[in-house]
Amino acid sequence: MITAEELREQFDYDQETGVFTRRVRSSNCIKIGCVAGTLNSDGYLKFRVNNKRYFAHRLAWLYVHGVWPCAQIDHINGDRDDNRIANLREATCAENSRNSKKRRGGRCRLKGVYIQKHRFGAQIRMQGKNIYLGYYATEEEAHAAYVAAAEKEFGAFARAE
């Protein structure tokens, strides 16, 4: 595994933009100063260091803090290729999933809301179980119940969208 010193010798990292640029040439087709990384199919930026692929957000953490993250790295704003250090934080698997965006599909457009028999239900998932928050007349009211519960239970990791 790469160390912070090796990473800093080979790359520059701009904490304001989250962009890595190359300080050395690793092959004939790579130029000094070019931006490192490509997006993978999940939307995360990855690039090679010493012939091994790494996620850019984990390398950003290593570059700034000098140690590998103990847990997962969460993108606070949910943008998987926004690797500014101010947008990254360590998180447990549960905390990281709490900060996820609404899943695609379903008939409701707001997170935490479902439709059953022409009513809007609100639910939140905690500790592997669905907790039902009641039925509401509108999708917005049900979503407001979800947001209140998420802020209470998840704190800084609550995501309303």
Side-chain angles (χ1 to χ4, degrees), residues 14 41 45 54 114 118 124-125 130 135 146 160:
D14 184 340
S41 60
L45 193 66
Y54 294 96
Y114 64 96
H118 307 291
I124 190 167
R125 188 160 181 87
N130 286 331
Y135 290 102
Y146 167 80

Side-chain angles (χ1 to χ4, degrees), residues 57-67 69 73 88-90:
H57 56 277
R58 296 186 70 77
L59 290 174
W61 191 269
L62 174 65
Y63 195 100
V64 171
H65 298 289
V67 295
I73 297 295
L88 303 176
R89 63 184 168 194
E90 280 191 299

Side-chain angles (χ1 to χ4, degrees), residues 3-14:
T3 66
E5 293 76 28
E6 290 174 305
L7 180 63
R8 291 179 190 128
E9 287 172 5
Q10 297 179 44
F11 295 90
D12 286 318
Y13 171 69
D14 184 340

Side-chain angles (χ1 to χ4, degrees), residues 58-122:
R58 296 186 70 77
L59 290 174
W61 191 269
L62 174 65
Y63 195 100
V64 171
H65 298 289
V67 295
W68 275 101
C70 296
Q72 294 183 3
I73 297 295
D74 179 45
H75 291 83
I76 297 168
N77 68 4
D79 184 354
R80 294 175 174 178
D81 69 342
D82 180 356
N83 294 309
R84 294 173 297 118
I85 199 66
N87 186 47
L88 303 176
R89 63 184 168 194
E90 280 191 299
T92 65
C93 183
E95 288 169 334
N96 201 5
S97 66
R98 291 172 187 154
N99 190 34
S100 65
K101 294 181 180 178
K102 179 189 179 305
R103 305 264 190 263
R104 291 183 187 165
R107 296 188 300 174
C108 294
R109 55 188 172 81
L110 299 174
K111 187 174 180 181
V113 180
Y114 64 96
I115 296 177
Q116 187 172 20
K117 296 182 182 176
H118 307 291
R119 298 180 299 176
F120 294 95

Side-chain angles (χ1 to χ4, degrees), residues 7-61:
L7 180 63
R8 291 179 190 128
E9 287 172 5
Q10 297 179 44
F11 295 90
D12 286 318
Y13 171 69
D14 184 340
Q15 294 184 31
E16 298 299 317
T17 64
V19 173
F20 280 92
T21 53
R22 297 186 184 275
R23 298 182 76 191
V24 297
R25 292 182 71 161
S26 57
S27 73
N28 288 335
C29 56
I30 292 178
K31 308 267 188 274
I32 294 173
C34 71
V35 174
T38 56
L39 289 179
N40 72 4
S41 60
D42 291 330
Y44 291 102
L45 193 66
K46 291 182 89 171
F47 60 93
R48 286 189 185 276
V49 183
N50 298 342
N51 267 342
K52 185 173 178 190
R53 284 194 164 277
Y54 294 96
F55 286 106
H57 56 277
R58 296 186 70 77
L59 290 174
W61 191 269

